[in-house]
């Protein structure tokens, strides 16, 4: 009998225990085909600071299949939130044609974003068995969200209604 109790190649993804805006570093990029048949790229980012440090946020984005596919805007936002310049994205990603498969796309994405950091707003699933919500943010958007959340929390501890506080600014 032979045993293999080596876990060095086993990855375990544990999502955040609470919602919030997190700084994440991209650690994994893979290509796959979704259950509905769409070519898709999965990205796993590890939270780099705070009480959720070490937990992972997993996101997936469909691959565009036509010149006017709206998912291209989702990809552009994602790349910009990871610090890529839109012009750089246009020059780097020029993969098109029938010979391109999802692994080729994943390889190109991996080469451009692996190890990059960005901000992701994560919300827990609303219902049991549901999906969490993930929204990639620029540094400015992330700072604004964190500031607003802190201000809302400080208002919440007083007798001032938060809506009144916003209206009377």
């Amino acid at each position: 009998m032979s045993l293999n109790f080596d876990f060095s190649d086993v990855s375990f993804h544990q999502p955040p225990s609470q919602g919030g805006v997190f700084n994440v570093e991209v650690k994994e990029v893979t290509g796959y085909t979704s259950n509905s048949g769409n070519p898709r790229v999965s990205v796993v980012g590890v939270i780099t600071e705070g009480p959720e440090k070490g937990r992972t946020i997993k996101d997936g984005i469909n691959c565009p299949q036509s010149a006017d596919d709206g998912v291209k805007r989702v990809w552009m936002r994602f790349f910009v939130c990871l610090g890529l310049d839109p012009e750089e994205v246009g020059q780097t990603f020029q993969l098109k044609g029938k010979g391109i498969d999802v692994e080729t796309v994943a390889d190109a994405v991996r080469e451009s974003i692996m190890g990059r950091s960005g901000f992701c707003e994560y919300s827990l699933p609303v219902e049991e068995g549901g999906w969490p919500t993930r929204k990639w943010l620029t540094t400015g958007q992330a700072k604004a969200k964190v500031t607003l959340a802190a201000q809302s929390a400080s208002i919440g501890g007083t007798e001032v209604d938060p809506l009144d506080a916003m209206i009377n600014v």
Side-chain angles (χ1 to χ4, degrees):
M1 175 191 320
S2 176
L3 299 177
N4 183 339
F5 209 69
D6 176 5
F7 294 89
S8 62
D9 62 347
V10 177
S11 64
F12 176 68
H13 302 294
Q14 186 173 4
S17 61
Q18 60 188 343
V21 175
F22 301 103
N23 190 4
V24 299
E25 181 181 344
V26 176
K27 293 290 190 177
E28 189 177 311
V29 177
T30 54
Y32 67 101
T33 301
S34 71
N35 292 337
S36 58
N38 292 317
R40 196 166 168 84
V41 174
S42 172
V43 177
V44 176
V46 176
I47 298 172
T48 59
E49 54 195 38
E52 301 292 329
K53 182 178 181 177
R55 292 184 181 245
T56 56
I57 295 177
K58 185 175 182 180
D59 200 357
I61 306 173
N62 285 347
C63 294
Q65 297 186 43
S66 65
D68 61 346
D69 195 327
V71 78
K72 285 184 175 185
R73 288 188 301 278
V74 175
W75 275 105
M76 183 61 83
R77 176 185 183 85
F78 173 71
F79 289 136
V80 168
C81 290
L82 289 174
L84 286 144
D85 180 83
E87 190 174 303
E88 179 183 2
V89 173
Q91 292 171 358
T92 302
F93 297 100
Q94 296 183 11
L95 302 170
K96 57 187 170 188
K98 292 188 183 260
I100 304 300
D101 64 1
V102 70
E103 283 304 322
T104 302
V105 173
D107 289 344
V109 171
R110 184 180 308 109
E111 187 176 315
S112 294
I113 68 167
M114 188 66 82
R116 285 186 175 266
S117 293
F119 290 95
C120 185
E121 181 177 20
Y122 179 88
S123 299
L124 297 170
V126 176
E127 58 189 40
E128 184 73 30
W131 296 98
T133 302
R134 297 155 307 263
K135 181 178 180 183
W136 292 89
L137 306 171
T138 63
T139 302
Q141 291 169 327
K143 286 180 181 178
K145 289 240 180 207
V146 169
T147 300
L148 182 60
Q151 289 172 345
S152 295
S154 68
I155 291 172
T158 67
E159 293 185 25
V160 175
D161 181 284
L163 184 57
D164 285 344
M166 283 177 35
I167 294 171
N168 294 324
V169 173

